[in-house]
Amino acid sequence: MVKTMAKFTVGDYLLLRLEQIGIKHIFGVAGDYNMEFLDYIVNHNGIELISTCNELNASYAADGYGRLNGVAALVTTFGVGELSAINGIAGAYAEHVPVVAITGAPATKIQALGSLVHHTLGTGDFSIFARMYEQVTVAQAYLTNENATTEIDRVLGICLLKKLPVYISIPMDVALAEVSAPSDFFIPPVFQSDGATIAEIIDVCVNILEKASQPVILADIGVARYHLHEQLRELLTATGYPYATMNMGKGLLEETHPQFIGIYNGAASEESVRKRIEQADCVLTIGALMTDFNTGKFSAKLDPSQTIEVHGEYVKVKHALYNNVAMADVLSALSQRLQHRDRQTLNFKSATENLDAGFIEPIVGGSSAPITQQHFWYRFAHFLQEDDIIVAETGTCLFGASIVPLPKGATFVGQVLWGSIGYSVGSLLGCAIAAPQRRSILLVGDGSFQMTAQELSTILRYNLKPIILLINNDGYTIERDIHGERMPYNDIQPWNYHQLPKVFAGNAWAIKVSTESQLDKALETAQQNRDQLAFIEVVMDKMDSPEVLLKMLQ
């Protein structure tokens, strides 16, 4: 709602526009250059301020929130605060997450005078940190009394259109400046396909796909960022084609879908998936990002002459590039034009039919045997429920979880490209805030957890109740696998991890488990007790790694 008070400020305007694009929470840390703006957030009925332990974790939280909510925001103070957050914003840029990074800056008079104030480099240059952000954001706004309203609308529109972070610098005095309240609701810009181009490209694609005897769909991150999950489902229903995802696209749809054949990760893929993708006479990729962890260290073998690539705003067919076509329009048109084929004709087996029996058969009562990676992931597969949010840290957790079939409505969150160690703890906070009605589960290693452990305090502060599964394998196991099995830089100081909820004095229960039977009992308790945060420390051997990770590192 627009405020009815006589004075309507730039701070009010920015918050109103953020609320109108769907933001209900802003993550951040107070600093003396942003406190005036923070006052506006606290007093704004439609948005809640989520105060984190530090700015880096605030940026991770905004990233997680943005993945679920479609857009997110964080606020930091000038210099020291915004630089602490820039790593997380870079990650959001790399992985196409729309985040509005707001920096509270010194007053315009101070900047004009070049005053040597704190949180600067003492050079009188107040633009240097903003210039750094220009490298990791798609658009920037440096607000003044005169340009504030138009600049806010401009960068928010670009953020939503491009699915990338933007930067807003709001000086202390500008936040307080009076402006006119908007007379209209903010309408995000929509990318429009060129009519002639979309007609031509659909004819070309339909002609190729209809002639193919073994077509297959390979979906990835772009589907998630443009929130086209249902359009993908409609395309699958219309065509009957088998489909796979890449690591960054895990969980786009339930992985029990009868047309889902598995995850394609180059040479690290299951053999049946690798063959079906690489031997197809036409691969329709949708939003695919060909990164190292997405392609099994670039071992993917996709023949360009047999590939149609659909991206957010362009399509590539073999070697021809067609610009100004929207992914949503392409998927919709293909669903209407392509003929349906049955499974017998297409000759494929679903991932469920090819699954290792351990993922399907009921779990037998646990024993006193030590917990292994293989047993843990089998047990975890049976633990999952519909609509769960699974946040997996880069490392053994990410690769182990990649083989676990996800149920209907589940969301998988992992930073596959940027891979900033410790990302998952802050991201869990953002996910749990964005969707409090859903069950959030964190999978994190002990080394990664030590990077950002303090955000457990924030999770407890806001009485969130996720399930945290911390794998204690005595250091950086994935780094030991890559290089330096016995090197001291892969070692960490042991913590009593399961004691931390007591240290942070929150509504939680915690336990440390080291045998299969102990793990089973802990998971049963977590399944039944939804009124508290659950913290389960799972002890494993430090050189026990998921098979898929070892396969990729060969």
Side-chain angles (χ1 to χ4, degrees), residues 370-373 472-474 477 539-545:
I371 302 166
T372 62
Q373 286 276 340
N472 181 352
N473 48 14
D474 194 20
T477 295
V539 178
M540 296 188 196
D541 183 81
K542 67 180 180 181
M543 289 312 298
D544 187 8
S545 297

Side-chain angles (χ1 to χ4, degrees), residues 227-304:
H227 292 267
L228 297 177
H229 305 77
E230 290 310 309
Q231 287 85 341
L232 172 62
R233 187 185 297 277
E234 291 169 6
L235 179 61
L236 295 173
T237 300
T239 63
Y241 293 178
Y243 89 103
T245 66
M246 305 181 85
N247 281 334
M248 294 182 78
K250 181 175 175 62
L252 292 175
L253 301 177
E254 65 274 13
E255 294 179 341
T256 54
H257 192 288
Q259 289 161 253
F260 180 67
I261 61 173
I263 291 180
Y264 178 65
N265 191 21
S269 312
E270 290 292 329
E271 187 64 10
S272 61
V273 179
R274 187 191 65 77
K275 285 184 177 180
R276 190 67 180 82
I277 297 294
E278 295 181 357
Q279 295 178 5
D281 50 359
C282 184
V283 181
L284 175 62
T285 71
I286 307 173
L289 200 58
M290 307 303 284
T291 71
D292 53 354
F293 280 1
N294 236 13
T295 61
K297 291 177 64 178
F298 304 114
S299 61
K301 296 179 180 178
L302 299 179
D303 185 350

Side-chain angles (χ1 to χ4, degrees), residues 10-26:
V10 171
D12 293 319
Y13 189 96
L14 176 53
L15 289 171
L16 177 62
R17 287 312 203 198
L18 292 174
E19 184 181 359
Q20 289 176 346
I21 66 173
I23 290 174
K24 297 180 180 178
H25 306 85
I26 298 179

Side-chain angles (χ1 to χ4, degrees), residues 101-119:
I102 304 164
T103 290
T108 52
K109 183 177 180 180
I110 291 175
Q111 295 191 44
L113 292 173
S115 302
L116 302 187
V117 296
H118 62 285
H119 296 342

Side-chain angles (χ1 to χ4, degrees), residues 255-543:
E255 294 179 341
T256 54
H257 192 288
Q259 289 161 253
F260 180 67
I261 61 173
I263 291 180
Y264 178 65
N265 191 21
S269 312
E270 290 292 329
E271 187 64 10
S272 61
V273 179
R274 187 191 65 77
K275 285 184 177 180
R276 190 67 180 82
I277 297 294
E278 295 181 357
Q279 295 178 5
D281 50 359
C282 184
V283 181
L284 175 62
T285 71
I286 307 173
L289 200 58
M290 307 303 284
T291 71
D292 53 354
F293 280 1
N294 236 13
T295 61
K297 291 177 64 178
F298 304 114
S299 61
K301 296 179 180 178
L302 299 179
D303 185 350
S305 66
Q306 306 280 0
T307 303
I308 299 172
E309 298 179 28
V310 180
H311 296 279
E313 299 180 359
Y314 70 93
V315 174
K316 188 175 181 181
V317 181
K318 299 183 178 180
H319 299 289
L321 181 65
Y322 296 80
N323 289 312
N324 301 318
V325 285
M327 181 186 293
D329 295 338
V330 174
L331 298 188
S332 177
L334 289 178
S335 295
Q336 296 174 27
R337 292 278 303 276
L338 290 169
Q339 298 297 312
H340 184 272
R341 303 190 211 179
D342 57 40
R343 288 187 61 178
Q344 289 71 32
T345 301
L346 292 168
N347 188 27
F348 69 90
K349 288 186 177 181
S350 69
T352 302
E353 293 172 303
N354 285 324
L355 267 180
D356 189 308
F359 286 119
I360 303 172
E361 297 173 353
I363 287 289
V364 178
S367 69
S368 59
I371 302 166
T372 62
Q373 286 276 340
Q374 183 181 48
H375 177 82
F376 177 82
W377 297 114
Y378 284 167
R379 187 63 183 83
F380 183 69
H382 289 266
F383 177 72
L384 290 178
Q385 298 176 351
E386 291 188 2
D387 297 321
D388 279 347
I389 301 167
I390 302 97
V391 183
E393 179 64 60
T394 301
T396 56
C397 289
L398 182 68
F399 290 95
S402 70
I403 65 172
V404 175
L406 300 185
K408 185 177 181 179
T411 301
F412 188 82
V413 176
Q415 204 181 53
V416 180
L417 174 55
W418 188 243
S420 186
I421 300 299
Y423 158 83
S424 66
V425 183
S427 183
L428 172 71
L429 168 64
C431 291
I433 290 289
Q437 75 283 5
R438 297 171 63 184
R439 188 173 75 162
S440 294
I441 303 170
L442 172 64
L443 298 162
V444 63
D446 51 347
S448 300
F449 183 75
Q450 287 197 10
M451 289 273 193
T452 49
Q454 62 272 57
E455 228 50 55
L456 175 61
S457 172
T458 307
I459 292 168
L460 291 167
R461 174 183 177 181
Y462 290 95
N463 198 29
L464 302 171
K465 299 162 186 174
I467 297 167
I468 296 175
L469 296 167
L470 183 143
I471 295 179
N472 181 352
N473 48 14
D474 194 20
Y476 290 105
T477 295
I478 188 172
E479 306 291 2
R480 298 186 201 279
D481 289 333
I482 295 171
H483 181 82
E485 177 180 341
R486 295 180 176 82
M487 298 305 290
Y489 47 72
N490 288 326
D491 297 335
I492 59 175
Q493 170 66 19
W495 289 5
N496 292 320
Y497 298 98
H498 67 292
Q499 298 293 334
L500 286 177
K502 289 184 180 179
V503 174
F504 294 136
N507 178 29
W509 67 271
I511 191 171
K512 182 177 182 178
V513 300
S514 57
T515 68
E516 292 181 359
S517 60
Q518 291 172 348
L519 175 64
D520 288 349
K521 290 178 182 178
L523 291 176
E524 289 170 8
T525 301
Q527 203 80 277
Q528 297 164 6
N529 184 0
R530 300 292 296 275
D531 296 327
Q532 292 179 293
L533 179 148
F535 191 104
I536 304 173
E537 179 183 347
V538 184
V539 178
M540 296 188 196
D541 183 81
K542 67 180 180 181
M543 289 312 298

